[in-house]
Short mmCIF file of all heavy atoms in Angstrom, two decimals:
data_model
loop_
_atom_site.label_atom_id
_atom_site.label_comp_id
_atom_site.label_asym_id
_atom_site.label_seq_id
_atom_site.Cartn_x
_atom_site.Cartn_y
_atom_site.Cartn_z
N LEU A 266 5.12 -2.65 -58.55
CA LEU A 266 6.08 -3.31 -57.66
C LEU A 266 7.51 -3.09 -58.13
O LEU A 266 8.40 -2.81 -57.33
CB LEU A 266 5.80 -4.81 -57.61
CG LEU A 266 4.87 -5.35 -56.54
CD1 LEU A 266 4.69 -6.85 -56.71
CD2 LEU A 266 5.39 -5.04 -55.16
N GLU A 267 7.71 -3.21 -59.44
CA GLU A 267 9.06 -3.09 -59.98
C GLU A 267 9.53 -1.63 -59.99
O GLU A 267 10.65 -1.31 -59.56
CB GLU A 267 9.10 -3.66 -61.40
CG GLU A 267 8.84 -5.16 -61.45
CD GLU A 267 8.73 -5.69 -62.87
OE1 GLU A 267 7.86 -5.20 -63.62
OE2 GLU A 267 9.52 -6.58 -63.23
N ASP A 268 8.68 -0.73 -60.50
CA ASP A 268 9.10 0.66 -60.71
C ASP A 268 9.09 1.49 -59.43
O ASP A 268 9.94 2.36 -59.25
CB ASP A 268 8.18 1.33 -61.74
CG ASP A 268 8.24 0.65 -63.10
OD1 ASP A 268 9.25 -0.04 -63.36
OD2 ASP A 268 7.28 0.79 -63.88
N CYS A 269 8.13 1.24 -58.56
CA CYS A 269 7.96 2.09 -57.37
C CYS A 269 8.63 1.52 -56.13
O CYS A 269 9.16 2.27 -55.31
CB CYS A 269 6.48 2.34 -57.11
SG CYS A 269 5.62 3.04 -58.52
N TYR A 270 8.58 0.20 -55.99
CA TYR A 270 9.19 -0.42 -54.82
C TYR A 270 10.50 -1.13 -55.14
O TYR A 270 11.18 -1.63 -54.23
CB TYR A 270 8.22 -1.41 -54.18
CG TYR A 270 7.10 -0.74 -53.39
CD1 TYR A 270 5.77 -1.07 -53.61
CD2 TYR A 270 7.38 0.24 -52.44
CE1 TYR A 270 4.74 -0.47 -52.90
CE2 TYR A 270 6.36 0.85 -51.71
CZ TYR A 270 5.04 0.50 -51.95
OH TYR A 270 4.05 1.11 -51.24
N GLY A 271 10.86 -1.19 -56.40
CA GLY A 271 12.14 -1.80 -56.77
C GLY A 271 12.20 -3.29 -56.54
O GLY A 271 13.29 -3.85 -56.31
N ILE A 272 11.06 -3.98 -56.60
CA ILE A 272 11.03 -5.43 -56.40
C ILE A 272 11.47 -6.11 -57.70
O ILE A 272 10.91 -5.88 -58.77
CB ILE A 272 9.62 -5.91 -56.00
CG1 ILE A 272 9.15 -5.19 -54.72
CG2 ILE A 272 9.61 -7.42 -55.82
CD1 ILE A 272 10.01 -5.40 -53.52
N ASN A 273 12.45 -6.97 -57.60
CA ASN A 273 13.03 -7.64 -58.76
C ASN A 273 12.23 -8.91 -59.09
O ASN A 273 12.26 -9.88 -58.32
CB ASN A 273 14.49 -7.99 -58.48
CG ASN A 273 15.19 -8.59 -59.68
OD1 ASN A 273 14.59 -8.83 -60.71
ND2 ASN A 273 16.49 -8.85 -59.54
N LEU A 274 11.53 -8.89 -60.21
CA LEU A 274 10.73 -10.05 -60.63
C LEU A 274 11.41 -10.85 -61.74
O LEU A 274 10.81 -11.78 -62.30
CB LEU A 274 9.35 -9.58 -61.11
CG LEU A 274 8.48 -8.84 -60.08
CD1 LEU A 274 7.13 -8.47 -60.69
CD2 LEU A 274 8.28 -9.67 -58.81
N ARG A 275 12.64 -10.52 -62.07
CA ARG A 275 13.33 -11.18 -63.18
C ARG A 275 13.47 -12.68 -62.95
O ARG A 275 13.23 -13.50 -63.85
CB ARG A 275 14.70 -10.54 -63.39
CG ARG A 275 15.43 -11.05 -64.63
CD ARG A 275 16.75 -10.33 -64.84
NE ARG A 275 17.75 -10.68 -63.84
CZ ARG A 275 18.11 -9.89 -62.83
NH1 ARG A 275 17.54 -8.71 -62.67
NH2 ARG A 275 19.04 -10.28 -61.97
N HIS A 276 13.87 -13.07 -61.74
CA HIS A 276 14.06 -14.49 -61.44
C HIS A 276 12.74 -15.25 -61.49
O HIS A 276 12.68 -16.39 -61.97
CB HIS A 276 14.71 -14.65 -60.07
CG HIS A 276 16.05 -13.98 -59.95
ND1 HIS A 276 17.19 -14.50 -60.52
CD2 HIS A 276 16.41 -12.81 -59.36
CE1 HIS A 276 18.21 -13.69 -60.27
NE2 HIS A 276 17.76 -12.67 -59.57
N LEU A 277 11.66 -14.61 -61.00
CA LEU A 277 10.34 -15.24 -61.06
C LEU A 277 9.91 -15.43 -62.51
O LEU A 277 9.41 -16.51 -62.87
CB LEU A 277 9.32 -14.37 -60.32
CG LEU A 277 7.86 -14.82 -60.43
CD1 LEU A 277 7.65 -16.19 -59.82
CD2 LEU A 277 6.93 -13.80 -59.76
N GLN A 278 10.11 -14.43 -63.34
CA GLN A 278 9.69 -14.54 -64.74
C GLN A 278 10.46 -15.64 -65.45
O GLN A 278 9.89 -16.43 -66.21
CB GLN A 278 9.89 -13.20 -65.46
CG GLN A 278 9.38 -13.24 -66.89
CD GLN A 278 9.57 -11.92 -67.61
OE1 GLN A 278 9.76 -10.89 -66.99
NE2 GLN A 278 9.50 -11.95 -68.92
N ARG A 279 11.77 -15.73 -65.19
CA ARG A 279 12.59 -16.76 -65.84
C ARG A 279 12.11 -18.16 -65.45
O ARG A 279 11.96 -19.04 -66.29
CB ARG A 279 14.06 -16.55 -65.46
CG ARG A 279 15.02 -17.48 -66.21
CD ARG A 279 16.44 -17.29 -65.72
NE ARG A 279 16.88 -15.92 -65.93
CZ ARG A 279 17.58 -15.21 -65.03
NH1 ARG A 279 17.90 -15.74 -63.87
NH2 ARG A 279 17.95 -13.98 -65.30
N MET A 280 11.89 -18.36 -64.15
CA MET A 280 11.42 -19.66 -63.69
C MET A 280 10.02 -19.97 -64.24
O MET A 280 9.72 -21.11 -64.64
CB MET A 280 11.41 -19.69 -62.15
CG MET A 280 11.06 -21.04 -61.55
SD MET A 280 9.27 -21.26 -61.26
CE MET A 280 9.03 -20.17 -59.84
N ALA A 281 9.16 -18.95 -64.26
CA ALA A 281 7.79 -19.15 -64.76
C ALA A 281 7.80 -19.59 -66.22
O ALA A 281 7.07 -20.51 -66.62
CB ALA A 281 6.99 -17.86 -64.58
N GLU A 282 8.61 -18.94 -67.04
CA GLU A 282 8.69 -19.31 -68.45
C GLU A 282 9.24 -20.73 -68.61
O GLU A 282 8.80 -21.49 -69.48
CB GLU A 282 9.57 -18.32 -69.21
CG GLU A 282 8.96 -16.94 -69.38
CD GLU A 282 7.82 -16.91 -70.39
OE1 GLU A 282 7.52 -17.96 -71.00
OE2 GLU A 282 7.21 -15.84 -70.54
N GLN A 283 10.20 -21.09 -67.76
CA GLN A 283 10.82 -22.41 -67.85
C GLN A 283 9.80 -23.52 -67.62
O GLN A 283 9.77 -24.52 -68.36
CB GLN A 283 11.95 -22.51 -66.82
CG GLN A 283 12.60 -23.89 -66.74
CD GLN A 283 13.61 -23.97 -65.59
OE1 GLN A 283 13.99 -22.95 -65.00
NE2 GLN A 283 14.03 -25.18 -65.27
N PHE A 284 8.94 -23.36 -66.60
CA PHE A 284 8.04 -24.45 -66.22
C PHE A 284 6.63 -24.30 -66.78
O PHE A 284 5.93 -25.31 -66.96
CB PHE A 284 7.97 -24.56 -64.70
CG PHE A 284 9.23 -25.07 -64.07
CD1 PHE A 284 10.08 -24.21 -63.39
CD2 PHE A 284 9.58 -26.40 -64.17
CE1 PHE A 284 11.26 -24.67 -62.81
CE2 PHE A 284 10.75 -26.88 -63.60
CZ PHE A 284 11.59 -26.01 -62.92
N TYR A 285 6.17 -23.07 -67.03
CA TYR A 285 4.77 -22.87 -67.39
C TYR A 285 4.58 -22.12 -68.71
O TYR A 285 3.45 -21.85 -69.12
CB TYR A 285 4.04 -22.08 -66.29
CG TYR A 285 4.22 -22.65 -64.91
CD1 TYR A 285 5.12 -22.08 -64.00
CD2 TYR A 285 3.49 -23.77 -64.50
CE1 TYR A 285 5.29 -22.61 -62.73
CE2 TYR A 285 3.66 -24.31 -63.23
CZ TYR A 285 4.57 -23.72 -62.35
OH TYR A 285 4.74 -24.25 -61.10
N GLY A 286 5.68 -21.80 -69.39
CA GLY A 286 5.60 -20.96 -70.58
C GLY A 286 4.77 -21.55 -71.70
O GLY A 286 4.19 -20.80 -72.50
N ASP A 287 4.69 -22.89 -71.80
CA ASP A 287 3.93 -23.52 -72.88
C ASP A 287 2.54 -23.97 -72.44
O ASP A 287 1.80 -24.59 -73.22
CB ASP A 287 4.70 -24.73 -73.42
CG ASP A 287 6.01 -24.32 -74.08
OD1 ASP A 287 6.06 -23.22 -74.67
OD2 ASP A 287 6.99 -25.09 -73.98
N ASP A 288 2.16 -23.65 -71.18
CA ASP A 288 0.83 -24.05 -70.68
C ASP A 288 -0.26 -23.20 -71.31
O ASP A 288 -0.02 -22.10 -71.82
CB ASP A 288 0.76 -23.88 -69.16
CG ASP A 288 1.48 -24.99 -68.41
OD1 ASP A 288 2.15 -25.81 -69.06
OD2 ASP A 288 1.39 -25.00 -67.17
N ASP A 289 -1.49 -23.71 -71.23
CA ASP A 289 -2.67 -22.90 -71.55
C ASP A 289 -2.88 -21.94 -70.37
O ASP A 289 -3.20 -22.37 -69.26
CB ASP A 289 -3.89 -23.80 -71.73
CG ASP A 289 -5.17 -23.01 -71.99
OD1 ASP A 289 -5.10 -21.76 -72.05
OD2 ASP A 289 -6.23 -23.64 -72.12
N LEU A 290 -2.67 -20.66 -70.61
CA LEU A 290 -2.70 -19.67 -69.53
C LEU A 290 -4.00 -18.87 -69.48
O LEU A 290 -4.06 -17.82 -68.82
CB LEU A 290 -1.51 -18.71 -69.69
CG LEU A 290 -0.12 -19.35 -69.57
CD1 LEU A 290 0.96 -18.35 -69.96
CD2 LEU A 290 0.11 -19.86 -68.14
N SER A 291 -5.04 -19.37 -70.13
CA SER A 291 -6.28 -18.60 -70.20
C SER A 291 -6.87 -18.34 -68.82
O SER A 291 -7.47 -17.28 -68.58
CB SER A 291 -7.30 -19.32 -71.08
OG SER A 291 -7.51 -20.66 -70.64
N LEU A 292 -6.70 -19.30 -67.89
CA LEU A 292 -7.22 -19.09 -66.53
C LEU A 292 -6.42 -18.05 -65.75
O LEU A 292 -6.90 -17.53 -64.74
CB LEU A 292 -7.18 -20.41 -65.74
CG LEU A 292 -8.11 -21.53 -66.17
CD1 LEU A 292 -7.90 -22.74 -65.26
CD2 LEU A 292 -9.56 -21.08 -66.09
N TRP A 293 -5.23 -17.78 -66.22
CA TRP A 293 -4.31 -16.97 -65.44
C TRP A 293 -4.15 -15.54 -65.97
O TRP A 293 -3.35 -14.77 -65.45
CB TRP A 293 -2.93 -17.66 -65.40
CG TRP A 293 -3.06 -19.05 -64.86
CD1 TRP A 293 -3.22 -20.20 -65.58
CD2 TRP A 293 -3.10 -19.42 -63.49
NE1 TRP A 293 -3.35 -21.27 -64.73
CE2 TRP A 293 -3.27 -20.83 -63.43
CE3 TRP A 293 -2.99 -18.72 -62.29
CZ2 TRP A 293 -3.35 -21.54 -62.25
CZ3 TRP A 293 -3.06 -19.41 -61.10
CH2 TRP A 293 -3.24 -20.80 -61.08
N MET A 294 -4.93 -15.21 -66.98
CA MET A 294 -4.86 -13.86 -67.53
C MET A 294 -5.34 -12.83 -66.50
O MET A 294 -6.31 -13.07 -65.79
CB MET A 294 -5.72 -13.76 -68.80
CG MET A 294 -5.08 -14.46 -69.99
SD MET A 294 -3.55 -13.64 -70.48
CE MET A 294 -2.79 -14.93 -71.49
N PRO A 295 -4.67 -11.70 -66.41
CA PRO A 295 -5.01 -10.72 -65.37
C PRO A 295 -6.29 -9.96 -65.68
O PRO A 295 -6.71 -9.85 -66.84
CB PRO A 295 -3.81 -9.76 -65.40
CG PRO A 295 -3.30 -9.84 -66.81
CD PRO A 295 -3.51 -11.27 -67.23
N HIS A 296 -6.94 -9.44 -64.63
CA HIS A 296 -8.03 -8.47 -64.79
C HIS A 296 -7.41 -7.19 -65.34
O HIS A 296 -6.39 -6.71 -64.82
CB HIS A 296 -8.69 -8.17 -63.45
CG HIS A 296 -9.17 -9.39 -62.72
ND1 HIS A 296 -10.29 -10.10 -63.10
CD2 HIS A 296 -8.68 -10.03 -61.63
CE1 HIS A 296 -10.46 -11.12 -62.28
NE2 HIS A 296 -9.50 -11.11 -61.38
N THR A 297 -8.00 -6.64 -66.37
CA THR A 297 -7.45 -5.43 -66.97
C THR A 297 -8.50 -4.33 -66.98
O THR A 297 -9.70 -4.59 -66.92
CB THR A 297 -6.95 -5.69 -68.39
OG1 THR A 297 -8.01 -6.25 -69.17
CG2 THR A 297 -5.76 -6.63 -68.40
N ASP A 298 -8.02 -3.11 -67.07
CA ASP A 298 -8.87 -1.93 -67.09
C ASP A 298 -8.51 -1.16 -68.36
O ASP A 298 -7.38 -0.70 -68.52
CB ASP A 298 -8.61 -1.08 -65.85
CG ASP A 298 -9.52 0.13 -65.76
OD1 ASP A 298 -10.09 0.52 -66.79
OD2 ASP A 298 -9.64 0.69 -64.66
N ALA A 299 -9.48 -1.01 -69.27
CA ALA A 299 -9.21 -0.37 -70.55
C ALA A 299 -8.63 1.03 -70.37
O ALA A 299 -7.79 1.47 -71.16
CB ALA A 299 -10.49 -0.29 -71.38
N ALA A 300 -9.04 1.71 -69.31
CA ALA A 300 -8.55 3.07 -69.08
C ALA A 300 -7.06 3.09 -68.75
O ALA A 300 -6.41 4.13 -68.86
CB ALA A 300 -9.34 3.72 -67.95
N ARG A 301 -6.52 1.94 -68.35
CA ARG A 301 -5.11 1.88 -67.97
C ARG A 301 -4.28 1.12 -69.01
O ARG A 301 -3.11 0.86 -68.78
CB ARG A 301 -4.97 1.23 -66.59
CG ARG A 301 -5.57 2.11 -65.50
CD ARG A 301 -5.67 1.38 -64.16
NE ARG A 301 -6.31 2.25 -63.18
CZ ARG A 301 -7.03 1.83 -62.16
NH1 ARG A 301 -7.21 0.54 -61.97
NH2 ARG A 301 -7.56 2.69 -61.31
N GLY A 302 -4.90 0.75 -70.12
CA GLY A 302 -4.20 0.04 -71.18
C GLY A 302 -3.42 1.01 -72.06
O GLY A 302 -3.13 2.12 -71.65
#
Side-chain angles (χ1 to χ4, degrees):
L266 268 178
E267 294 174 302
D268 299 338
C269 304
Y270 285 129
I272 302 300
N273 184 356
L274 299 181
R275 187 177 70 255
H276 301 284
L277 173 63
Q278 184 180 342
R279 186 184 300 138
M280 185 270 287
E282 290 288 358
Q283 175 186 348
F284 290 105
Y285 309 102
D287 295 327
D288 283 7
D289 177 1
L290 297 171
S291 54
L292 292 179
W293 304 94
M294 286 295 163
H296 306 286
T297 55
D298 183 341
R301 293 169 183 151

